[in-house]
Amino acid sequence: MYINSSLILLTGGYGTFNANFSITAKINSTTNNSVKWNIISLVLFLIIASCSSSDKELAPNRVIIAGKVVNPDPMNYKIDFSINRIGLGKERISPTLDKDGGFKIIFESYVPLDVWLLYKMNFLILTHPGDSIYLEFDGSKEERTEILKTVKYSGDASTLNTEAAAFQYMYFTSNFYTDHDRKKNAIESFNEVNYKRFRDSLRIEEQNLLKKFISDFNPLNETRNWVKTYLDVEYYRDLVSYPDFHRMTNNLKRQDWIVPITYYDFLDDHFPFNDSILISSYSLYSFVNFYPAYLIERIRDENKQLFISTDYFKKHPAVM
């Protein structure tokens, strides 16, 4: 199977810790029930999502993405696709455009997932097992938003992908996304309380964008779920990564500045795990990448003496 539940939390790639040991220690320690449930529900959901009692669903189906880059850059006849496979990283396929700018890739999948297309800039394509998707876009454009304005879909999932492209255009042209200096300054200068307030204010802007998108396009429920999951995970990722980024931008060591464990209470209300979000594979891939950072903080908080001793002996090896 492409989704290997044993790898979900073990291949997070966040730091160089022993995830298997950490998660086991966490579950076996006196953790609160919500943390246990977060871990168990995530793993069980991905097991169930990747398995089925039906022979038809056990077999993967191929997905075809074909299309044409109109006005391709004569110096750039390479196009890349990055398939977001939860728990197994990203599969990269890099065909060469033909002389007319045409391309075609084929891959197999058990479940719906989204795929990054990269030509100068990247955007997401939503797929289901068995889909045959065709798209064209203007290769003379340099910016992601300019490219998104020219994308045209046909074949399977054309409505879904047209709506997804419209959302991506709205999102990547929004002030809350493009004002990188405001976000950088907030990470550097705000403490955890003020940063949470700042990120919550951006979340309000994101939710307003979602409402406008729904009002303007009346999208499919599948598109709505995909957009909502995308925005939710961006919110969680920004908050979880804030402590490390704050230390980095201020040249602080961990012992110089840490956030209280209650800072992470927002994760108690994460999005529900159900099959409607499987197509959000990029977001789910991101979620399982940053979630171990939170688990480490829980472990450190509930095993303070162990980590204090470990840190002490690292600083004073002669004591050993």
Side-chain angles (χ1 to χ4, degrees), residues 115-116 122-126 144-145 148 153 161-174 213 226-227 230:
V115 176
W116 284 110
N122 60 350
F123 59 90
L124 283 162
I125 301 171
L126 282 58
R144 176 177 11 215
T145 51
L148 282 166
Y153 287 96
N161 275 297
T162 298
E163 293 170 352
F167 165 74
Q168 290 176 83
Y169 176 80
M170 293 175 68
Y171 178 82
F172 292 119
T173 56
S174 65
F213 170 67
W226 178 80
V227 170
Y230 184 94

Side-chain angles (χ1 to χ4, degrees), residues 34 43 94 103 123 139 155 158 185 216 294 307 316:
S34 65
V43 174
S94 302
F103 60 84
F123 59 90
S158 58
N185 291 336
D216 289 352
Y294 161 63
F307 281 92
H316 305 86

